[in-house]
């Protein structure tokens, strides 16, 4: 029988364990080495601790606030994760948010339909991603340089298009736009079939859940994702085995900008206005969230769940600091410490650790 | 008609000419050794065959087809495989993922949406190929980066053989292996030959080359300087060709160092 033919029946097949002589890693072993798992544990501990310390922290209302606040960061984190997996970075996501909001806002103030405005905003964002992707994938420029350039270009375009004004008179479709950004579910109806202790999750949260599940599914089951991880793990190997490296890297940057565009449109609807400063500094929050969630800045590793849990962790820390009455200026210090700890944890699981710094060599 | 035929292959990188009109022929089931000093252009020549590099001029025909315009993926589908010196594995991925990288068996989700990997099929075929090679790996679901050099090479070899290649190019396959592992690679080459698969073997270990090849092509300064029938040559002649013509004294010294 030829090696690439498979018997239709299982009979006569040795099991994988028989051939390789070892039982595969158990689910628990895999979980134990997962950074996202440990961040989840830390998040759970923090939530329990803060609820005991400050009862108002554990309310449904606060849960609604936290989930609404971190969802746009997590949505962008999903796109950033894809880029980080390829071994790149996208510093332009915050500015892309600003441009998308302004493009949609300009059209809404000109009384275009909400869907025309949203599609135009999405296209503007995707165009930014295509620009990034083209120069990184096909021209071979460093992603840091290209996306840093786009950070300036997109923000500048947003300022010019808006005339440096806040846009808020959205015309006849304003209620629809607000409904998209401000919708909640489940609704605490008067007859009380949904108890008040269940949080009313925002549309941002549900969009994030759907996108994270979809991306998680893609990561596990598609050839595209395998190629994505291979590019980050060893781009030369991927190229040599016939993986369309340039095309996939291009798609990664387009997807990152698409995610930033979705987040921007949700925030546009929530605030009911478009300002060119929206998303300023978000790129660092997004990168922080994805790295804390376990994505590798060296490429080759990242998960959809990690992007979500890392972003959630950062928002819970921020919220906890406020509730504990700690000066909000300390937030940056905590975030910085967590990023460094996350990268250290990642080094430990990849076989390098602090131990190497403390080994005493014998003469 | 030859399985692989290269004529007048030239390749330069900027101002540096690496290949100066190389001609090479390989028949089905033939094992050809490609030898030469460092910088002779061996790896570059092989990468022009696999499509990693595009030849500046000349022609490459494989199985009667002009493959010069084809990319690496298309050339692999025609039956050209290469085991690279650095193995070119995606170290963070598992055995099956590496074996099928770029050629994953896919199925349609709900019979409609294409592009979904058939993981069970991949694992089954990967296991069969490893069984065929008689190899022992720590775990098929562990990242290959955690394997030893010999185990990683097993994965690279399995990847090359899974899709019934017609030509396998091996770039220094025995360079970093223990004696027992070297022997198994040489046995594998003999087995491939017996199955009618052509092999191009690049190696500095001339004993290995002499023990398994039918012909030895010496590459020197980017040219095919000699094409020797293995049965009619010896170590000294091969080395003298590598170091430059008839300098037997230099060849003997080179041989003793090697």
């Amino acid at each position: 029988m030829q090696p690439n033919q498979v018997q239709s029946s299982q009979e006569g097949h040795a099991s994988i364990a028989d051939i390789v002589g070892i039982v595969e890693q158990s689910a628990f072993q895999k979980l134990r080495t997962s950074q996202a798992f440990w961040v989840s544990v830390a998040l759970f501990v923090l939530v329990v601790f803060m609820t005991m310390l400050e009862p108002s922290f554990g309310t449904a209302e606060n849960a609604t606030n936290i989930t609404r606040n971190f969802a746009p960061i997590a949505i962008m984190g999903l796109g950033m994760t894809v880029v980080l997996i390829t071994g790149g970075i996208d510093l332009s996501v915050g500015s892309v948010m600003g441009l998308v909001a302004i493009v949609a806002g300009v059209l809404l103030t000109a009384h275009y339909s909400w869907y025309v405005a949203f599609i135009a905003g999405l296209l503007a964002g995707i165009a930014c991603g295509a620009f990034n992707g083209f120069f990184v994938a096909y021209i071979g420029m460093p992603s840091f340089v290209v996306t840093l350039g786009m950070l300036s270009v997109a923000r500048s375009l947003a300022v010019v298009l808006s005339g440096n004004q806040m846009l808020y008179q959205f015309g006849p479709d304003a209620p629809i736009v607000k409904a998209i950004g401000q919708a909640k579910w489940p609704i605490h109806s008067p007859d009380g079939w949904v108890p008040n202790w269940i949080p009313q999750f925002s549309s941002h949260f549900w969009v994030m859940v759907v996108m994270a599940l979809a991306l998680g599914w893609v990561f596990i089951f598609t050839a595209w994702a395998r190629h994505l991880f291979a590019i980050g793990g060893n781009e030369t190997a991927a190229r040599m085995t016939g993986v369309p490296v340039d095309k996939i890297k291009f798609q990664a940057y387009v997807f990152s900008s698409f995610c930033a565009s979705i987040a921007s449109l949700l925030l546009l609807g929530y605030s009911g206005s478009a300002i060119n400063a929206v998303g300023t500094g978000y790129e660092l929050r997004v990168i922080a969230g994805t790295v804390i969630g376990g994505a590798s800045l060296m490429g080759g590793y990242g998960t959809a769940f990690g992007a979500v849990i890392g972003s959630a962790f950062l928002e819970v820390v921020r919220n906890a600091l406020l509730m504990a009455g700690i000066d909000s200026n300390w937030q940056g210090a905590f975030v910085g410490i967590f990023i460094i700890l996350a990268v250290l944890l990642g080094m430990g699981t990849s076989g390098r650790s602090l131990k190497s710094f403390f080994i005493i060599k014998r003469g | 008609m030859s399985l692989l035929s290269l004529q007048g292959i030239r390749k330069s990188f900027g101002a540096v000419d690496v290949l100066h009109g190389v001609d090479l022929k390989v028949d089905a089931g033939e094992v050809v050794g490609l030898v030469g000093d460092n910088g002779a252009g061996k790896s570059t020549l092989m990468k022009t065959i696999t499509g990693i590099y595009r030849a500046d001029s000349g022609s490459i025909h494989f199985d009667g087809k002009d493959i010069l315009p084809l990319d690496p993926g298309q050339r692999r589908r025609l039956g050209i495989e290469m085991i690279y010196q650095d193995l070119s594995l995606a170290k963070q991925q598992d055995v099956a993922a590496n074996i099928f990288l770029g050629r994953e068996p896919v199925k349609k989700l709900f019979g409609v949406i294409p592009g979904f990997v058939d993981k069970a099929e991949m694992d089954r075929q990967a296991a069969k190929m490893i069984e065929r090679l008689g190899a022992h790996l720590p775990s098929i679901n562990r990242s290959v980066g955690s394997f030893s050099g010999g185990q990683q090479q097993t994965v690279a070899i399995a990847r090359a053989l899974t899709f019934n290649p017609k030509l396998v190019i091996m770039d220094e396959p025995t360079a970093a292996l223990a004696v027992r592992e070297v022997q198994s690679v040489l046995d594998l080459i003999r087995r491939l030959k017996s199955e009618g698969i052509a092999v191009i073997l690049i190696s500095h270990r001339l004993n290995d080359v002499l023990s398994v090849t039918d012909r030895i092509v010496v590459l020197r300064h980017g040219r095919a300087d000699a094409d020797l029938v293995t049965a009619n040559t010896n170590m000294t002649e091969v080395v003298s060709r590598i170091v430059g013509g008839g300098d037997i004294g230099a060849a003997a010294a080179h041989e003793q160092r090697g």
Side-chain angles (χ1 to χ4, degrees):
Chain A
M1 189 176 70
Q2 290 298 325
N4 66 337
Q5 293 173 332
V6 178
Q7 289 171 335
S8 53
S9 84
Q10 287 296 311
E11 214 175 335
H13 261 306
S15 74
I16 289 166
D18 289 340
I19 293 161
V20 298
I22 222 168
V23 179
E24 309 306 342
Q25 272 189 308
S26 69
F28 177 69
Q29 283 173 311
K30 284 180 180 173
L31 204 61
R32 229 179 50 200
T33 57
S34 160
Q35 188 166 315
F37 168 72
W38 290 111
V39 174
S40 304
V41 170
L43 181 61
F44 177 75
V45 169
L46 182 59
V47 167
V48 170
F49 175 76
M50 278 306 299
T51 304
M52 287 161 62
L53 192 75
E54 180 60 65
S56 61
F57 179 88
T59 61
E61 190 184 359
N62 195 43
T64 300
N65 283 337
I66 287 172
T67 52
R68 188 190 60 242
N69 288 343
F70 87 76
I73 300 294
I75 289 167
M76 294 162 80
L78 296 172
M80 185 66 74
T81 297
V82 169
V83 169
L84 288 177
I85 288 167
T86 68
I89 197 163
D90 189 352
L91 299 175
S92 69
V93 287
S95 296
V96 168
M97 277 187 96
L99 179 61
V100 168
I102 291 302
V103 167
V106 164
L107 290 173
L108 286 166
T109 53
H111 292 199
Y112 280 88
S113 299
W114 70 271
Y115 56 86
V116 172
F118 275 33
I119 289 168
L122 275 175
L123 289 174
I126 287 167
C128 292
F131 178 94
N132 288 339
F134 175 76
F135 281 98
V136 173
Y138 294 106
I139 305 300
M141 289 177 69
S143 59
F144 188 93
V145 173
V146 175
T147 60
L148 188 62
M150 179 51 73
L151 178 147
S152 295
V153 170
R155 186 67 67 194
S156 181
L157 284 173
V159 172
V160 170
L161 283 173
S162 66
N164 211 8
Q165 303 286 314
M166 179 195 278
L167 309 174
Y168 58 92
Q169 292 172 317
F170 284 170
D173 279 2
I176 299 171
V177 173
K178 285 186 179 177
I180 289 167
Q182 295 175 3
K184 289 177 184 174
W185 190 86
I187 296 163
H188 291 164
S189 55
D191 57 357
W193 73 272
V194 176
N196 282 339
W197 56 266
I198 292 179
Q200 296 185 91
F201 294 112
S202 67
S203 55
H204 306 199
F205 175 81
W206 292 114
V207 169
M208 176 204 74
V209 167
V210 170
M211 287 181 71
L213 288 173
L215 186 63
W217 181 270
V218 165
F219 277 174
I220 294 166
F221 295 111
T222 67
W224 181 83
R226 284 171 180 271
H227 297 167
L228 191 76
F229 284 103
I231 290 165
N234 187 341
E235 187 177 321
T236 309
R239 213 177 276 281
M240 285 174 171
T241 50
V243 170
V245 171
D246 298 339
K247 186 171 117 181
I248 288 169
K249 283 173 90 170
F250 176 82
Q251 290 166 346
Y253 288 90
V254 170
F255 181 69
S256 178
S257 290
F258 170 77
C259 289
S261 305
I262 295 289
S264 177
L265 294 172
L266 288 167
L267 286 174
L268 173 79
Y270 177 71
S271 64
S273 62
I275 53 170
N276 56 51
V278 73
T280 302
Y282 272 37
E283 53 280 334
L284 297 180
R285 289 172 67 183
V286 171
I287 292 164
T290 51
V291 169
I292 286 168
S296 170
L297 285 168
M298 306 309 293
Y301 187 77
T303 63
F305 177 69
V308 171
I309 210 71
S311 305
F313 183 78
L314 281 181
E315 179 55 29
V316 168
V317 166
R318 191 190 72 83
N319 190 279
L321 290 173
L322 291 173
M323 290 242 170
I326 296 168
D327 185 347
S328 61
N329 292 316
W330 279 103
Q331 186 191 333
F334 278 92
V335 169
I337 289 164
F338 286 127
I339 291 170
I340 293 165
L341 285 173
V343 173
L344 270 177
L345 192 63
M347 284 171 71
T349 55
S350 67
R352 300 193 318 279
S353 69
L354 282 174
K355 264 194 302 189
S356 59
F357 291 105
F358 300 111
I359 290 170
I360 299 165
K361 291 182 181 174
R362 291 194 183 133
Chain B
M1 188 181 69
S2 298
L3 175 70
L4 176 73
S5 173
L6 281 74
Q7 286 185 308
I9 294 296
R10 292 181 177 276
K11 178 67 187 171
S12 59
F13 297 98
V16 181
D17 291 330
V18 180
L19 301 175
H20 306 272
V22 177
D23 296 342
L24 178 68
K25 281 183 166 50
V26 181
D27 293 330
E30 185 179 31
V31 181
V32 175
L34 187 66
V35 298
D37 253 339
N38 292 331
K42 303 184 296 295
S43 292
T44 301
L45 180 62
M46 293 306 102
K47 284 175 182 175
T48 60
I49 295 171
T50 58
I52 302 301
Y53 296 152
R54 186 64 58 92
D56 297 334
S57 64
S59 68
I60 306 177
H61 285 82
F62 182 76
D63 217 5
K65 298 182 187 74
D66 176 15
I67 63 167
L68 210 55
L70 304 184
D71 65 35
Q74 292 168 316
R75 295 188 195 196
R76 282 183 86 200
R77 282 190 283 279
L78 285 178
I80 299 173
E81 288 287 351
M82 182 161 174
I83 299 163
Y84 294 90
Q85 188 170 0
D86 66 355
L87 303 181
S88 286
L89 297 171
K91 299 282 174 77
Q92 281 137 313
Q93 297 207 39
D94 65 18
V95 175
N98 270 282
I99 288 174
F100 287 90
L101 187 55
R103 294 185 296 197
E104 293 82 358
V106 291
K107 57 185 177 184
K108 289 183 178 176
L109 184 67
F110 311 124
V112 181
I113 309 164
F116 285 81
V117 169
D118 192 342
K119 180 79 168 86
E121 173 87 338
M122 276 172 63
D123 283 349
R124 202 160 50 236
Q125 289 195 40
K128 279 171 68 181
M129 180 48 68
I130 287 156
E131 183 180 32
R132 182 186 170 206
L133 292 172
H136 290 282
L137 300 179
S139 165
I140 208 152
N141 279 355
R142 270 227 323 253
S143 60
V144 299
S146 65
F147 292 177
S148 71
Q151 289 164 342
Q152 287 186 23
Q153 183 153 49
T154 297
V155 178
I157 290 168
R159 181 172 67 192
L161 302 186
T162 297
F163 292 87
N164 297 328
K166 295 173 184 173
L167 169 68
V168 176
I169 301 165
M170 297 185 173
D171 192 353
E172 298 287 358
T174 59
L177 300 183
V179 176
R180 192 168 52 83
E181 290 170 327
V182 168
Q183 199 50 53
S184 69
V185 170
L186 299 180
D187 289 342
L188 173 70
I189 291 168
R190 292 185 187 101
R191 196 158 91 212
L192 294 176
K193 176 181 167 64
S194 71
E195 291 174 18
I197 297 168
V199 178
I200 298 175
L201 173 63
I202 302 174
S203 183
H204 281 103
R205 297 173 67 141
L206 297 183
N207 282 324
D208 297 346
V209 175
L210 286 161
S211 70
V212 292
T213 58
D214 300 306
R215 282 168 40 232
I216 299 172
V217 173
V218 179
L219 212 61
R220 183 169 150 76
H221 300 321
R223 288 187 176 83
D225 205 50
D227 191 337
L228 310 168
V229 176
T230 307
N232 302 338
T233 191
N234 57 37
M235 177 81 79
T236 305
E237 185 185 5
V238 173
V239 173
S240 74
R241 295 291 195 152
I242 290 169
V243 298
D247 189 349
I248 301 296
H254 189 288
E255 192 178 331
Q256 280 186 327
R257 282 202 310 274

